[in-house]
Amino acid sequence: MPISLIIADDHAFTLQGMQRSLESRPEFSILATTGKGVEAIALARRHRPDIAVLDYVMPDATGLDVFKEIACWSPETRSVIVTGSDSAATLQSLNEAGVHGIFLKAQEPRDICDGLLRVAAGEVVRARQVMKILTASIENSRITRREQQVLTGIAQGLSNPGIAMELSISPKTVESHRASLMRKLGVHSSAALIVRAVREGLLDP
């Protein structure tokens, strides 16, 4: 039996191109298409496809939102997100959520189709380009011993001068480490920095 699919993408040109690529392969059977995330959830409930191929950015719900809902209403359906975004933060959120397949729209259609076959066979698939971005993000987020000390001071509620006094360094150096921490962890405030650090295991709750 062909692998049954639904496709959701709010860009008609992309949707039609994806549909043509998949219809050219006898391994796939497209049950329905839509440009809306909420309608994709309804289609998954109605058709119970093997795979839902989803865009990440849609007007009424993100691909991640749709993935979570489909997991509730059609748990046998495996979800694949094909996104135009190469943002490390976006890809990390999809990876951490456990999306079955993550691909970039810039990839060759043949590679995405081959990836869908692997997802249908039960694999969790990350495109090679996606893995490069995720790996680079992990490497960039590694913090130094001094940054860890500054992070601990921030968590204790110390000011930059207070941290500087504790570590026998200048307040300007503390500010530099604070900025580096925020960049590496992708946050823009001290509160968000602490939350992210706890989540990443860099601070003991």
Side-chain angles (χ1 to χ4, degrees):
M1 293 288 292
I3 298 163
S4 59
L5 307 168
I6 62 169
I7 308 173
D9 194 304
D10 66 324
H11 291 91
F13 185 78
T14 303
L15 179 61
Q16 291 168 11
M18 195 176 302
Q19 187 172 359
R20 282 195 299 270
S21 295
L22 291 168
E23 286 177 340
S24 70
R25 302 278 294 253
E27 303 99 319
F28 301 112
S29 172
I30 299 174
L31 303 178
T33 65
T34 180
K36 297 180 179 179
V38 171
E39 189 171 340
I41 298 167
L43 289 173
R45 290 185 65 180
R46 184 184 314 149
H47 295 289
R48 308 280 178 172
D50 297 316
I51 298 178
V53 182
L54 312 168
D55 187 11
Y56 179 69
V57 179
M58 290 182 281
D60 52 357
T62 69
L64 184 54
D65 295 331
V66 176
F67 159 69
K68 291 176 180 177
E69 288 296 318
I70 288 177
C72 294
W73 296 107
S74 181
E76 67 274 21
T77 297
R78 298 175 66 79
S79 293
V80 167
I81 292 183
V82 184
T83 176
S85 171
D86 59 0
S87 159
T90 296
L91 297 177
Q92 282 174 344
S93 67
L94 297 176
N95 188 53
E96 290 170 3
V99 175
H100 302 107
I102 308 173
F103 302 92
L104 299 179
K105 289 184 177 180
Q107 289 179 240
E108 290 292 329
R110 180 184 65 240
D111 294 337
I112 296 176
C113 290
D114 290 345
L116 291 177
L117 292 175
R118 292 171 58 197
V119 170
E123 292 185 50
V124 173
V125 181
R126 305 290 181 256
R128 185 177 303 173
Q129 297 94 321
V130 170
M131 285 304 304
K132 285 182 179 179
I133 294 168
L134 291 173
T135 301
S137 176
I138 291 170
E139 291 174 350
N140 289 339
S141 68
R142 289 175 181 164
I143 66 174
T144 65
R145 182 178 65 85
R146 182 65 84 190
E147 286 171 344
Q148 180 69 58
Q149 292 172 332
V150 170
L151 179 61
T152 300
I154 295 170
Q156 291 170 346
L158 298 177
S159 64
N160 285 356
I163 296 172
M165 186 176 295
E166 287 280 331
L167 301 180
S168 300
I169 57 179
S170 73
K172 187 173 181 180
T173 300
V174 173
E175 181 59 36
S176 176
H177 287 311
R178 183 190 289 263
S180 178
L181 284 165
M182 290 186 178
R183 177 181 57 79
K184 288 181 177 181
L185 296 182
V187 297
H188 303 287
S189 71
S190 296
L193 177 64
I194 293 170
V195 171
R196 182 63 183 267
V198 169
R199 191 169 67 192
E200 297 291 332
L202 300 173
L203 285 174
D204 188 339

